């Protein structure tokens, strides 16, 4: 986590540093471009200023050339002075003078030097060329640009020279304070003309300028991309930082200079760099935000996945536990079923025990009779009374058939039924149960009333198990009526759904009806032939397994009534 945070801070730091470096680059590039533009502009401005100056001076040069040959000049005297004065007044020249070959002034108007001997421009004129010079007239006097034009005689010799003084201050007048600051230096490096009066008479030293007297103000110069940049503190009317552009002007023997303020270029470059930096930072912020959001999403996803995995693991564990429980329950159910089956079998065997005494008596009787009939039959055969012997044999056969039926019923009862629940005719089951219990009931003197329908009544159940339930009910009824004077069992069948079999006796009734289906509940003598207390609880389980119900209560007129309700099953024809 800490490492990730550190990596993120490092990435942001790296990004900001890169943006800063690029911003500096953009600033430099922009500034360079702006300086190029500024230099171009400066050169154009300087050319304009120089053209203007040379154009203005040209008037005076031409004046000197044209006036030099004026005939009144040759005459000299007052006429010449008046001529020069008139011309000076009309042209605004500072002064005009005509000098002879030795330099002595012959005619003059306005101000000018007293003697021109030795002056370079005069010498040049005396040589027949046009001379020019710049100079202050007198110490601290006005600045003038001088043009000296030769005056030729008829034979072509130079007779003298006309000098015209152009007033520089006059030329500068409507030019002062304009932008950019421009100045023109003489060959010696002195500022002679400028639209910034404070620079006049400053001298060039090295790259910059310094005033004629006093300490030089702060100044530095450097070169950038082929441009010369000056930083200076030369007053309110001169820029603090400027691009210096210079251009030699051989026509007037001076060099022109312009100082282009670099502040706007810096501002433009700064603006470009700021926009670039702002865009980069905004872009970076957007990227950062997107990355952060993506990272947060990934984190949330991972958390969700972990939670889902945990939950899935928990659910799987619960599922396994549930499955284990289900299989345990199934095992328990199977064990219970087995125990129930064993109990049913035990109950059946106990019932068999009870009825076996009667059965053996029942079988013994026909056996004795068979023996008797057989003996008699043999004697009849010997006496030749075959018809009587035949009747004995017929009786023997009938008795044997009866015994076979009793034995088959017993076998059926003892069989452990594993058949599933099927359709069973309940009337036949009641018949078989009665037949099984017949000996016992007859012995006890119990009469049976059985309202038997003449058609089968179909129910859902198991034949053997239903028989077991009914045998148990008849046996219990017989037990209950042991002391009763009137011993009767009434069996009624109510068709419908459910089909209800009612077994009613004329005994004393049930002592504790709510307990009779409890296992091992018995009011019978302990240790007796009966009295295990399992008969009804087993019957209850069996009837329930068919989807039916068994109930026992005391009947209104006395005695007990047991109702076995069974699900009706469709008749075979209907099912087919
Ligand atoms: P057992 O017959 O071994 O006692 P059962 O479960 O068959 O066990 O019967 C439980 C008890 O229900 C009997 O002991 C008896 O008290 C009562 N009982 C059952 N049938 C009748 C009946 N027809 N009349 C009165 N009481 C009965």
């Amino acid at each position: 986590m800490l490492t990730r945070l550190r990596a993120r801070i490092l990435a942001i730091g790296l990004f900001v540093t890169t943006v800063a470096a690029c911003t500096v680059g953009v600033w430099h590039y922009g500034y360079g471009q702006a300086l190029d533009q500024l230099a171009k502009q400066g050169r154009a401005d300087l050319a304009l200023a120089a053209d203007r100056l040379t154009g203005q001076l040209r008037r005076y040069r031409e004046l000197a050339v044209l006036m030099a040959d004026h005939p009144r000049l040759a005459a000299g005297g007052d006429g010449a002075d008046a001529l020069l004065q008139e011309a000076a007044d009309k042209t605004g020249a500072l002064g005009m003078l005509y000098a002879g070959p030795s330099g002595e002034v012959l005619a003059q108007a306005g101000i000018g030097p007293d003697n021109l001997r030795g002056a370079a421009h005069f010498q040049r004129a005396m040589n027949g060329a046009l001379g020019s010079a710049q100079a202050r007239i007198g110490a601290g006097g006005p600045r003038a640009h001088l043009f000296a034009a030769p005056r030729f005689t008829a034979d072509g010799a130079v007779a003298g020279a006309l000098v015209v003084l152009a007033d520089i201050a006059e030329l500068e007048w409507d030019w002062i304070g304009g932008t950019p600051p421009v100045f023109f230096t003489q060959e010696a490096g002195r500022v002679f003309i400028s639209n910034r009066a404070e620079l006049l008479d400053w001298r060039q030293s090295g790259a910059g300028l310094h005033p004629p007297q006093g300490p030089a103000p702060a100044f530095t110069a450097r070169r950038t991309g082929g441009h010369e940049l000056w930083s200076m503190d030369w007053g309110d009317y001169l820029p603090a930082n400027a691009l210096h552009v210079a251009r030699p002007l051989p026509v007037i023997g001076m060099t022109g200079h312009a100082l282009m303020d670099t502040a706007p270029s810096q501002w433009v470059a700064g603006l470009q760099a700021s926009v670039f930096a702002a865009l980069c930072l905004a872009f970076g912020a957007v990227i950062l935000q997107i990355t952060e959001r993506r990272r947060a999403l990934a984190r949330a996803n991972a958390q969700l996945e972990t939670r889902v995995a945990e939950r899935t693991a928990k659910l799987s564990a619960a599922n396994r536990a549930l499955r284990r429980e289900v299989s345990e329950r199934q095992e328990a159910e199977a064990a219970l079923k087995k125990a129930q089956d064993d109990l049913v079998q035990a109950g059946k065997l106990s019932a068999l025990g009870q009825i076996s005494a009667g059965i053996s008596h029942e079988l013994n009787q026909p056996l004795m009779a068979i023996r008797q009939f057989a003996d008699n039959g043999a004697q009849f055969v010997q006496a030749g009374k075959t018809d009587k012997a035949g009747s004995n044999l017929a009786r023997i056969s009938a008795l044997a058939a009866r015994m076979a039926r009793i034995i088959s019923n017993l076998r059926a009862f003892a069989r452990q039924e594993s058949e599933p629940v099927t359709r069973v005719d309940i009337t036949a089951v009641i018949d078989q149960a009665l037949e099984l219990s017949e000996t016992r009931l007859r012995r006890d003197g119990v009469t049976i009333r059985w309202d038997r329908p003449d058609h089968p009544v179909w129910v859902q159940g198991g034949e053997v198990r239903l028989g077991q339930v009914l045998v148990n009910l008849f046996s219990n009824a017989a037990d209950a009526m042991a002391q009763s004077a009137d011993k009767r069992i009434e069996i009624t069948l109510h068709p419908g759904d459910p089909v209800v079999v009612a077994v009613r006796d004329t005994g004393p009734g049930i002592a504790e009806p709510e307990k009779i289906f409890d296992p091992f509940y018995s009011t019978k003598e302990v240790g007796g032939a009966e009295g295990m207390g399992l008969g009804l609880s087993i019957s209850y389980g069996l009837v329930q397994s068919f989807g039916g119900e068994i109930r026992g209560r005391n009947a209104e007129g006395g005695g007990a009534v047991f109702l076995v309700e069974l699900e009706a099953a469709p008749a075979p024809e209907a099912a087919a």
Side-chain angles (χ1 to χ4, degrees):
M1 186 71 189
L2 207 68
T3 343
R4 211 181 299 157
L5 187 73
R6 206 173 293 160
R8 211 176 309 163
I9 290 172
L10 199 73
I12 292 172
L14 208 68
F15 176 74
V16 171
T17 314
T18 312
V19 168
C22 290
T23 305
V24 170
V26 167
W27 187 87
H28 269 290
Y29 178 76
Y31 189 47
Q33 294 288 312
L35 283 185
D36 287 347
Q37 280 299 324
L38 197 65
K40 224 182 268 177
Q41 175 74 39
R43 278 193 291 273
D45 286 351
L46 187 60
L48 209 67
D51 286 351
R52 188 167 177 270
L53 181 67
T54 48
Q56 284 172 321
L57 288 176
R58 193 177 299 126
R59 280 192 317 183
Y60 297 99
R61 191 180 68 178
E62 281 162 8
L63 177 68
V65 171
L66 291 175
M67 285 282 291
D69 291 329
H70 202 286
R72 274 165 68 186
L73 278 182
D78 289 346
D81 284 344
L83 176 72
L84 291 182
Q85 190 62 56
E86 190 186 347
D89 289 346
K90 281 182 180 165
T91 57
L94 190 61
M96 291 178 79
L97 52 96
Y98 177 67
S102 54
E104 76 281 11
V105 175
L106 299 176
Q108 182 168 14
I111 60 166
D114 297 335
N115 201 309
L116 292 172
R117 193 178 300 129
H121 60 283
F122 177 70
Q123 281 311 320
R124 201 168 155 68
M126 289 316 292
N127 290 337
L130 182 73
S132 74
Q134 300 98 21
R136 278 190 181 273
I137 308 303
R143 287 165 293 146
H145 192 98
L146 298 93
F147 290 104
R151 175 184 157 77
F152 296 99
T153 58
D155 54 3
V158 178
L162 176 68
V163 178
V164 177
L165 289 83
D167 187 358
I168 296 298
E170 182 70 26
L171 300 186
E172 283 175 347
W173 178 247
D174 57 346
W175 199 47
I176 288 287
T179 45
V182 173
F183 57 91
F184 295 87
T185 51
Q186 292 173 305
E187 269 171 31
R190 203 179 81 185
V191 177
F192 192 69
I193 306 170
S194 176
N195 59 0
R196 293 290 185 279
E198 53 270 46
L199 289 184
L200 290 176
D201 294 323
W202 286 37
R203 284 178 187 284
Q204 268 185 313
S205 77
L209 297 174
H210 65 85
Q213 61 247 347
F219 174 84
T220 50
R222 65 194 163 88
R223 291 197 73 82
T224 305
H227 304 297
E228 193 180 330
L229 296 174
W230 287 7
S231 294
M232 60 242 157
D233 183 16
W234 288 349
D236 297 340
Y237 300 105
L238 284 154
N241 294 289
L243 173 79
H244 173 237
V245 183
R247 181 187 175 195
L249 302 168
V251 180
I252 52 172
M254 283 195 281
T255 305
H257 304 262
L259 294 175
M260 306 299 289
D261 193 352
T262 56
S265 306
Q266 280 176 342
W267 191 83
V268 167
L271 190 70
Q272 282 174 343
S274 307
V275 168
F276 172 79
L279 281 179
C280 283
L281 289 177
F283 181 69
V286 168
I287 296 273
L288 186 74
Q289 205 175 353
I290 289 172
T291 327
E292 278 302 305
R293 198 173 295 171
R294 210 176 275 174
R295 202 168 289 158
L297 256 173
R299 236 186 343 255
N301 244 5
Q303 271 176 0
L304 202 71
E305 268 168 29
T306 325
R307 226 177 281 164
V308 166
E310 278 171 11
R311 193 113 186 89
T312 310
K314 266 187 206 163
L315 274 176
S316 305
N319 217 12
R320 274 198 299 278
L322 216 63
R323 254 189 233 151
R324 209 166 32 242
E325 209 170 290
V326 166
S327 76
E328 276 170 12
R329 270 184 193 207
Q330 278 170 344
E331 277 167 23
E333 234 169 66
L336 196 69
K337 177 93 178 40
K338 171 102 182 27
Q340 267 178 354
D341 289 349
D342 290 351
L343 263 178
V344 168
Q345 197 56 16
K348 272 201 298 196
L349 293 179
S350 125
L352 266 184
Q354 285 171 35
I355 54 182
S356 62
I359 296 277
S360 60
H361 170 72
E362 195 68 11
L363 289 178
N364 210 27
Q365 254 190 344
L367 256 183
M368 294 302 286
I370 284 171
R371 200 173 153 194
Q372 194 69 47
F373 284 127
D375 289 350
N376 288 352
Q379 285 171 10
F380 286 138
V381 168
Q382 275 176 1
K385 297 176 181 171
T386 50
D387 53 334
K388 284 200 176 176
S391 122
N392 270 20
L393 283 174
R395 285 189 182 176
I396 288 171
S397 168
L399 285 167
R402 177 174 154 76
M403 285 171 73
R405 214 168 56 244
I406 291 170
I407 289 166
S408 105
N409 273 340
L410 260 181
R411 276 176 56 196
F413 184 74
R415 198 174 76 225
Q416 188 154 17
E417 191 176 51
S418 56
E419 292 290 311
V421 174
T422 55
R423 185 179 51 223
V424 175
D425 175 16
I426 188 69
T427 56
V429 176
I430 295 172
D431 286 346
Q432 278 167 20
L434 279 174
E435 210 165 310
L436 262 178
S437 314
E438 192 187 343
T439 324
R440 156 87 200 273
L441 299 177
R442 199 167 350 110
R443 188 190 66 204
D444 287 7
V446 177
T447 47
I448 305 289
R449 246 185 43 205
W450 164 213
D451 263 352
R452 191 183 191 286
D454 51 3
H455 57 85
V457 175
W458 299 101
V459 296
Q460 290 286 359
E463 195 177 342
V464 177
R465 286 171 285 178
L466 265 179
Q468 189 184 342
V469 170
L470 291 166
V471 165
N472 189 49
L473 288 182
F474 301 152
S475 164
N476 275 351
D479 287 346
M481 296 185 295
Q483 308 300 325
S484 305
D486 177 21
K487 298 180 184 179
R488 197 165 11 102
I489 294 178
E490 288 175 13
I491 306 164
T492 3
L493 185 61
H494 304 280
D497 196 6
V499 174
V500 182
V501 181
V503 178
R504 182 181 174 175
D505 62 53
T506 52
I510 307 163
E512 294 171 292
E514 69 284 354
K515 284 191 180 170
I516 51 173
F517 293 107
D518 293 349
F520 305 109
Y521 170 75
S522 177
T523 55
K524 293 168 194 169
E525 233 177 89
V526 180
E530 301 116 6
M532 270 181 66
L534 284 173
L536 281 180
S537 64
I538 290 170
S539 298
Y540 187 86
L542 291 174
V543 174
Q544 272 220 326
S545 73
F546 308 146
E549 246 182 86
I550 180 168
R551 282 195 292 269
R553 56 178 162 82
N554 289 320
E556 273 177 24
V561 62
F562 281 86
L563 301 170
V564 181
E565 291 178 5
L566 295 163
E567 244 178 71
E573 309 85 60

